[in-house]
Amino acid sequence: MKYLADIGSYFIMLGNVFSRPTKTSVIKELIYKEIDELVINSLGIVIFISFFVGGVVAIQTALNIDNPLIPSYLVGFATRQSVILEFAPTFISIIMAGKMGSFITSSIGSMRVTEQIDALEVMGINSLNYLVYPKVIALLLYPFVIAIAMFLGILGGWVAGVYGGFSTSDAFIQGLQEDFKPFHVVYAFIKTFVFAFILATVPSWQGYFMKGGALEVGKASTNSFVWTSVLIILANYIITSLLLS
Amino acid sequence: MIRVENLHKSFGEEEVLKGISTSFEKGKTNLIIGQSGSGKTVFLKCLLGLFEAETGKIFYGTKAIQEMNDDEKKELREHMGMVFQGGALFDSMTVEENVMFPLRMFTKKKKEEMLHRVNEVLTRVNLVNANKKFPSEISGGMQKRVAIARAIVNNPRYLFCDEPNSGLDPKTAILIDNLIQEITQEYDITTVINTHDMNSVMEIGEKIVFLQKGNLAWEGDNTQIFKTTNKDVTDFVYSSDLFKKIRDIQNMEN
């Protein structure tokens, strides 16, 4: 029963997020602030992880190829497929569930504990629209983060493959171009938009409806990471089944 | 003026407010007092519209909040100011931005006009040279002043304060009490203060509503409260040693 009530409150929250809009000039500023906090501030960790994980994918693929019949361009091909289809959109989103999601839950949860949300409501402001809507709009830029992760993942694979002596540059680039299906990129970005919506709304819901004090803010942040990750993985499975199978 | 008629509020099977009827007068500091768990905060949150009462009505002017549509409620809330127990200042904003917030949300004033008004109310609450500081950088008393400034910046008709003195030393508490009373008279607003501080009752209790276990047990002013024979009220008033001693001295003098 509790899960049903939670699902219900999540969808009621979504309804309120998109109703009774806040003044445009104020919401515009909030969107810029959220872009800075959620998108720009995430770039450092995304760049670091993407580059090195791309390199690891290339090295592991190369080390597992010991059959001379397997073409050498497979290193580039496997790196491209892994990075574009799963690593960049899904793996990075789960990392973002930890970084971005915890930040959203703890900031909204702290506002709940210190009555700042009550203060907004007393002033007649739709607190859900004020707090959550800018995050949803800011995360429309999330696919750019994932595009950067894709590019750097492949670049990391090329650097590790070529300079580690596992592949030649020509073979790696041939692998990148081999059997390339543009729809795979479309599929990756479709699921990125879905993950962005989950990343903006589930942690907000956890923070907004939390009760208690500082300890509960911590618990809500942990729950936020768990539920956001679970929903991203479920959404990944459903979207993949619908679009690729 | 705010008029309350037969207000009931329950949480599950527990009835917290059991049919409260009273009124809060314009231009006066109206105090809601009572022990912890008497229903003061729930009553205040019902007045603010943060909790919906099961039965009963709260009239703001001539219209009950229960009969207002969303637009009317929104308009009413634009005329409300609230000072929360902990201040509830937005910690990501400076003092100036906090006070300016209601103006940005509800007026079309230019930035210079807003800044002028912000400085005006900050001066009124005796807070200067703190505009660019964040709430975490100022003292509890200063935070309360900022909260009062934010509450009055948009010229509200109704001012609500939840335990405005909690966590403050006695001297600062009296300053905050006096400030609220002066502002109430100066702006001719209806002020409702939720407190259990007897110093506030003595200083600014122009109308006092005493709640006991969700019932309105007594109402009067700060002179009548020391003469009442209502046992619940006298138990509450003379629960501190200081007031007991004052009563004993007065009895001896008489």
Side-chain angles (χ1 to χ4, degrees):
Chain A
M1 272 311 276
K2 190 186 171 294
Y3 288 123
L4 278 178
D6 285 348
I7 292 166
S9 81
Y10 174 74
F11 282 103
I12 289 169
M13 180 198 85
L14 290 186
N16 286 325
V17 167
F18 295 101
S19 65
R20 282 173 51 210
T22 307
K23 203 173 169 184
T24 315
S25 58
V26 175
I27 214 84
K28 223 188 267 180
E29 263 181 47
L30 289 172
I31 290 169
Y32 292 143
K33 192 167 153 267
E34 298 294 357
I35 289 172
D36 184 44
E37 281 178 351
L38 300 179
V39 180
I40 309 290
N41 282 352
S42 300
L43 285 177
I45 188 78
V46 169
I47 288 168
F48 177 78
I49 292 174
S50 305
F51 186 82
F52 284 100
V53 171
V56 169
V57 169
I59 292 169
Q60 288 197 350
T61 308
L63 290 176
N64 284 288
I65 299 171
D66 49 10
N67 189 329
L69 294 176
I70 298 175
S72 59
Y73 66 73
L74 189 75
V75 177
F77 176 80
T79 305
R80 183 199 78 201
Q81 288 298 84
S82 311
V83 168
I84 288 179
L85 291 176
E86 283 310 317
F87 165 72
T90 312
F91 189 65
I92 290 289
S93 295
I94 287 172
I95 291 167
M96 287 300 108
K99 189 198 174 288
M100 211 185 269
S102 304
F103 171 74
I104 292 173
T105 304
S106 56
S107 58
I108 295 181
S110 301
M111 287 185 77
R112 167 64 73 199
V113 170
T114 53
E115 295 181 308
Q116 292 174 49
I117 292 177
D118 286 343
L120 288 170
E121 288 292 328
V122 168
M123 287 182 213
I125 296 162
N126 177 0
S127 56
L128 279 169
N129 179 268
Y130 180 86
L131 294 171
V132 185
Y133 181 76
K135 292 176 175 51
V136 175
I137 300 301
L139 284 183
L140 288 176
L141 292 180
Y142 185 60
F144 288 103
V145 176
I146 298 305
I148 290 168
M150 286 175 181
F151 172 76
L152 286 171
I154 291 169
L155 181 70
W158 178 82
V159 170
V162 174
Y163 291 96
F166 300 103
S167 171
T168 63
S169 180
D170 287 344
F172 192 90
I173 290 167
Q174 189 194 347
L176 292 182
Q177 294 168 340
E178 190 69 27
D179 196 26
F180 177 70
K181 290 175 182 157
F183 182 71
H184 283 176
V185 179
V186 175
Y187 150 81
F189 281 118
I190 287 172
K191 66 181 187 179
T192 300
F193 274 110
V194 175
F195 297 162
F197 190 76
I198 292 171
L199 279 170
T201 55
V202 174
S204 299
W205 171 74
Q206 285 281 349
Y208 192 87
F209 289 103
M210 63 139 299
K211 286 179 182 141
L215 184 66
E216 283 73 17
V217 174
K219 283 181 186 168
S221 296
T222 309
N223 284 341
S224 157
F225 172 67
V226 172
W227 280 108
T228 308
S229 308
V230 166
L231 287 173
I232 284 172
I233 286 169
L234 279 177
N236 187 33
Y237 177 78
I238 293 166
I239 294 167
T240 307
S241 301
L242 290 172
L243 297 182
L244 289 189
S245 59
Chain B
M1 181 170 171
I2 305 169
R3 191 158 50 85
V4 182
E5 281 182 6
N6 197 27
L7 199 73
H8 286 263
K9 174 68 187 169
S10 302
F11 292 99
E13 289 181 6
E14 189 190 354
E15 194 176 15
V16 181
L17 300 179
K18 301 169 182 171
I20 291 176
S21 299
T22 187
S23 62
F24 300 109
E25 293 166 38
K26 193 179 175 189
K28 285 190 176 178
T29 43
N30 303 273
L31 269 57
I32 304 169
I33 63 168
Q35 292 173 338
S36 298
S38 58
K40 298 190 304 285
T41 302
V42 174
F43 186 31
L44 193 73
K45 288 196 170 178
C46 286
L47 292 175
L48 288 162
L50 290 176
F51 288 159
E52 275 187 35
E54 277 90 46
T55 56
K57 287 184 176 174
I58 300 164
F59 288 89
Y60 281 88
T62 53
K63 196 158 189 183
I65 194 168
Q66 289 81 0
E67 290 161 3
M68 291 179 186
N69 60 33
D70 284 348
D71 288 339
E72 286 171 320
K73 276 184 192 168
K74 190 170 180 277
E75 198 196 331
L76 171 69
R77 284 185 165 165
E78 287 174 19
H79 295 293
M80 285 179 173
M82 172 76 192
V83 180
F84 283 87
Q85 191 172 350
L89 300 177
F90 302 121
D91 42 24
S92 60
M93 298 181 192
T94 61
V95 165
E96 185 176 278
E97 288 165 343
N98 262 286
V99 180
M100 200 190 282
F101 187 78
L103 297 175
R104 289 181 61 213
M105 295 304 288
F106 304 118
T107 69
K108 289 177 181 169
K109 285 182 177 160
K110 287 180 185 166
K111 196 170 180 193
E112 295 76 41
E113 289 175 286
M114 287 195 275
L115 273 174
H116 178 73
R117 176 67 183 148
V118 167
N119 288 326
E120 202 172 81
V121 287
L122 283 174
T123 309
R124 180 66 195 83
V125 299
N126 303 319
L127 198 67
V128 284
N129 300 327
N131 292 36
K132 300 296 174 195
K133 289 185 175 167
F134 283 91
S136 59
E137 297 170 336
I138 57 177
S139 69
M142 288 166 90
Q143 286 184 17
K144 288 279 162 65
R145 286 170 195 274
V146 178
I148 293 170
R150 185 177 69 181
I152 62 168
V153 72
N154 206 16
N155 294 317
R157 288 182 209 148
Y158 309 98
L159 177 64
F160 299 91
C161 307
D162 187 16
E163 307 273 6
N165 293 335
S166 70
L168 299 181
D169 64 89
K171 200 176 169 187
T172 311
I174 289 170
L175 287 174
I176 295 288
D177 280 341
N178 290 336
L179 178 64
I180 293 171
Q181 190 174 37
E182 284 163 20
I183 285 166
T184 302
Q185 288 162 359
E186 197 176 309
Y187 291 77
D188 196 26
I189 52 183
T190 308
T191 297
V192 181
I193 303 169
N194 186 357
T195 186
H196 53 229
D197 182 0
M198 280 310 296
N199 288 326
S200 300
V201 172
M202 286 173 67
E203 283 284 328
I204 57 167
E206 292 177 284
K207 160 104 192 236
I208 301 163
V209 171
F210 179 77
L211 297 189
Q212 175 80 351
K213 292 176 185 169
N215 291 299
L216 194 154
W218 181 87
E219 56 185 334
D221 62 29
N222 57 359
T223 52
Q224 292 165 333
I225 197 166
F226 294 102
K227 294 172 187 166
T228 181
T229 52
N230 184 313
K231 193 177 176 305
D232 292 330
V233 179
T234 52
D235 283 351
F236 178 78
V237 171
Y238 298 109
S239 56
S240 83
D241 285 343
L242 177 66
F243 280 90
K244 270 182 205 159
K245 279 179 184 159
I246 291 169
R247 181 178 59 179
D248 294 343
I249 291 166
Q250 279 176 338
N251 287 343
M252 280 165 66
E253 283 173 357
N254 291 336

